[in-house]
Amino acid sequence: MYTVKCGIINGSVVAVRIVVVLLCLCARVKGQPMDANGISEPGALKPLLNAGGKKLFFIRNISVSGNKKTKDYIVKRELLFKEKDSIVLNELVDQFELSREQLINTRLFNTVVIRLKGFEGYGVDIEVEVTERWYIFPVPYFNLVDRNFQTWADQGYSLSRINYGLKFIHFNTTGRKDQLN
């Protein structure tokens, strides 16, 4: 249950409890016949209406493509919408853009395209297409053997007193946005 503070009446705060979960479940059951597995029957989708009288669309499936290393649930976790959500179509388009920005900000992908894959009645399928970044980066390594620069200078700036080479940093090692140095 969610508590919403409505205002102050005669010095006391009036709290109104809204049972959002029950209303959503009742609306979904009445508006969309489901089979025994909880999946909408094809052709039986009826439009749900939100408080403004606009028709709600039901997200049936979200598919992710283009990810070779990153797990699907990592991509779906960053989306603002989930499967089985009901949402007005023009709000869904706004959430596509915000979700795309969130996926880009994870620094796991170069490009992200989110689009409607198909409609069936009031059920929509969404496709998320990503292009992953490189995950293994070579980094130059340069370190003095001596404890400071002055000691190295006293030794005649000898290259034999320097450790140098390449090390590799591996991002997204297991596909869960982890880092291995």
Side-chain angles (χ1 to χ4, degrees), residues 2-180:
Y2 297 99
T3 302
V4 179
K5 294 182 181 178
C6 291
I8 299 176
I9 299 176
N10 297 332
S12 66
V13 176
V14 177
V16 177
R17 295 185 184 266
I18 301 172
V19 184
V20 175
V21 176
L22 291 176
L23 291 176
C24 291
L25 288 175
C26 289
R28 184 170 291 164
V29 169
K30 288 179 185 175
Q32 301 175 3
M34 305 276 185
D35 65 7
N37 297 326
I39 301 194
S40 299
E41 297 172 2
L45 292 176
K46 307 250 190 282
L48 297 175
L49 299 177
N50 69 355
K54 296 182 180 178
K55 293 178 183 175
L56 295 175
F57 285 83
F58 176 74
I59 299 174
R60 293 185 317 164
N61 185 25
I62 299 173
S63 61
V64 180
S65 63
N67 54 332
K68 295 180 179 110
K69 187 78 168 174
T70 307
K71 307 291 184 206
D72 283 353
Y73 75 89
I74 298 295
V75 174
K76 289 180 180 181
R77 178 178 68 187
E78 297 297 324
L79 299 175
L80 296 175
F81 45 87
K82 306 292 180 219
E83 291 180 359
K84 300 181 182 177
D85 279 354
S86 296
I87 190 165
V88 178
L89 194 59
N90 60 354
E91 291 176 11
L92 184 62
V93 174
D94 294 337
Q95 289 187 3
F96 279 4
E97 182 60 30
L98 292 173
S99 295
R100 189 189 78 76
E101 290 174 7
Q102 279 188 240
L103 283 167
I104 292 290
N105 287 341
T106 62
R107 297 179 45 209
L108 292 174
F109 309 107
N110 286 329
T111 60
V112 175
V113 177
I114 302 174
R115 62 176 159 253
L116 288 176
K117 188 176 181 181
F119 282 94
E120 186 177 322
Y122 286 93
V124 295
D125 296 327
I126 297 172
E127 181 180 11
V128 180
E129 186 178 328
V130 296
T131 305
E132 291 184 319
R133 293 179 55 187
W134 285 4
Y135 295 124
I136 300 175
F137 295 100
V139 178
Y141 177 76
F142 180 83
N143 195 11
L144 298 173
V145 174
D146 299 314
R147 65 184 149 155
N148 60 33
F149 190 76
Q150 184 61 42
T151 308
W152 182 52
D154 292 342
Q155 298 293 328
Y157 300 108
S158 173
L159 293 179
S160 64
R161 303 200 49 84
I162 296 175
N163 289 332
Y164 59 92
L166 285 176
K167 68 177 184 175
F168 293 94
I169 297 177
H170 193 169
F171 293 102
N172 202 21
T173 307
T174 63
R176 295 176 179 87
K177 197 183 173 191
D178 47 357
Q179 182 176 346
L180 179 67

